[in-house]
Amino acid sequence: MRLPFLLRSSLSRKIRYGLGLLAGLVASLCFGGASANTMAAPRSIAFYYGKTPILKQLAQFEFAVVEPGHGFVPVHTSHKTRWIAYVSVGEVNSSRDYYSAIPKSWIIGHNAEWSSDIIDQTAPGWPEFFVEHVIAPLWRQGYSGFFLDTLDSYQLVVKDAAQRQQNQEGLVAVIRAIHKRFPRAALILNRGFELLPEVHNDVYAVAFESLFKGWSESRGEYIDVSDTDREWLLAQASTVKQQYGLPVIAIDYCLPTNLQCSRDTVRRIRALGLVPYVGDGRLQTVNLASRH
């Protein structure tokens, strides 16, 4: 679930850092001293990757996942909304401010569809780098959790079973490093089902996309999900809920003007005991129908 491009913040680093110190303290106070994993399942969640978060609408959700690369600093917003930063673990776009610090030897491939480079999850020092250069600055800005995306990108490059296992172990190390450094941060995985035996105690929830209605970035169109794909996802969701006791979030996609599609899809997802969000294909609008 990625943006095709990012814009850099117009705020100066000094201003963002100063606001961030205060925001980080606010985030810590909101979550208290316990691990975020002990929180109840989210009643509502929104995913919005637009340039300027629509605060009035997003504040109506308990959780709001936003793209931090546009410079949003959640310091002066309502404490009732928990702001979650989108972060890409398996890939990195050249527009990210930490891109130039990544050793070239850590890049093992390229995802042409999203114009991003694929990171070797087995690279020595990668977990520490990710925590220090990606997670820590966002925590200081006031984000109280992280939506961890592109957890399966290594599969685009790695074909050997042993290498796949090594990359999975690398991802486990990254997730554990984040949780160890920021135990109050709510970590939401985008899929990553195969990692849960090792990290279910470190994460707050698991999300997946396209249960009933999907979006094809390559074709630029909305699609219906096949029964076979849906049955597989529901089997994974059942395991996540029953075996690990974690909340499951289903993210589907409808044309913003098709309100009937949105309402029906939200209803079908919620009827399955999952937390729904239905957005447009690139998550540039806020769908309030997903609140209830």
Side-chain angles (χ1 to χ4, degrees):
M1 185 197 305
R2 290 161 288 191
L3 282 177
F5 60 88
L6 294 171
L7 296 179
R8 296 187 181 275
S9 170
S10 61
L11 293 174
S12 72
R13 290 182 180 272
K14 290 184 179 180
I15 294 175
R16 292 176 64 187
Y17 183 78
L19 292 175
L21 291 178
L22 175 60
L25 175 60
V26 171
S28 297
L29 292 175
C30 287
F31 278 95
S35 169
N37 302 338
T38 62
M39 295 187 304
R43 294 184 300 273
S44 63
I45 187 169
F47 292 79
Y48 176 80
Y49 294 168
K51 297 177 184 178
T52 304
I54 308 171
L55 300 183
K56 184 176 180 180
Q57 294 183 0
L58 291 174
Q60 298 183 49
F61 293 84
E62 183 182 9
F63 287 80
V65 180
V66 299
E67 166 54 63
H70 295 312
F72 173 64
V73 177
V75 63
H76 294 305
T77 61
S78 170
H79 67 278
K80 295 180 180 180
T81 298
R82 291 166 174 159
W83 298 97
I84 308 296
Y86 168 93
V87 292
S88 175
V89 182
E91 300 179 22
V92 60
N93 190 283
S94 60
S95 64
R96 298 292 184 183
D97 55 10
Y98 57 87
Y99 179 82
S100 61
I102 297 177
K104 300 303 180 184
S105 60
W106 291 6
I107 297 175
I108 58 174
H110 185 75
N111 187 336
E113 184 175 4
W114 292 97
S115 300
S116 55
D117 292 328
I118 300 172
I119 300 295
D120 180 5
Q121 298 299 311
T122 72
W126 170 240
E128 295 79 9
F129 179 97
F130 194 80
V131 169
E132 187 62 33
H133 290 265
V134 182
I135 299 298
L138 295 173
W139 181 260
R140 289 195 296 267
Q141 290 175 22
Y143 288 97
S144 56
F146 306 96
F147 179 63
L148 307 181
D149 196 20
T150 64
L151 296 174
D152 58 355
S153 294
Y154 68 91
Q155 297 182 20
L156 297 174
V157 178
V158 173
K159 305 301 180 183
D160 177 79
Q163 291 180 332
R164 283 196 293 270
Q165 179 62 34
Q166 291 168 0
N167 272 268
Q168 289 178 16
E169 292 172 357
L171 287 165
V172 167
V174 169
I175 294 169
R176 285 179 171 170
I178 299 171
H179 180 65
K180 181 178 180 180
R181 176 82 174 270
F182 302 103
R184 294 188 302 275
L187 304 185
I188 303 175
L189 306 187
N190 189 7
R191 295 202 177 209
F193 302 120
E194 67 281 358
L195 308 176
L196 288 175
E198 301 295 331
V199 301
H200 62 274
N201 288 325
D202 303 300
V203 303
Y204 166 61
V206 176
F208 60 78
E209 302 171 67
S210 307
L211 183 61
F212 294 101
K213 301 290 184 178
W215 165 258
S216 171
E217 177 67 20
S218 60
R219 303 205 304 263
E221 62 184 25
Y222 296 90
I223 59 176
D224 291 324
V225 178
S226 69
D227 292 340
T228 300
D229 288 347
R230 180 162 48 255
E231 290 171 2
W232 185 85
L233 282 171
L234 288 175
Q236 300 300 315
S238 178
T239 299
V240 174
K241 293 180 65 177
Q242 296 181 17
Q243 186 168 339
Y244 302 117
L246 297 174
V248 179
I249 301 161
I251 308 159
D252 271 28
Y253 301 96
C254 288
L255 189 68
T257 55
N258 191 341
L259 299 181
Q260 192 62 47
C261 175
S262 295
R263 294 188 185 113
D264 289 346
T265 305
V266 166
R267 175 183 52 78
R268 295 172 74 184
I269 292 173
R270 185 168 281 118
L272 294 169
L274 310 179
V275 181
Y277 185 74
V278 178
D280 65 274
R282 292 183 175 177
L283 300 173
Q284 300 295 299
T285 59
V286 179
N287 181 8
L288 294 178
S290 299
R291 292 174 300 165
H292 307 294

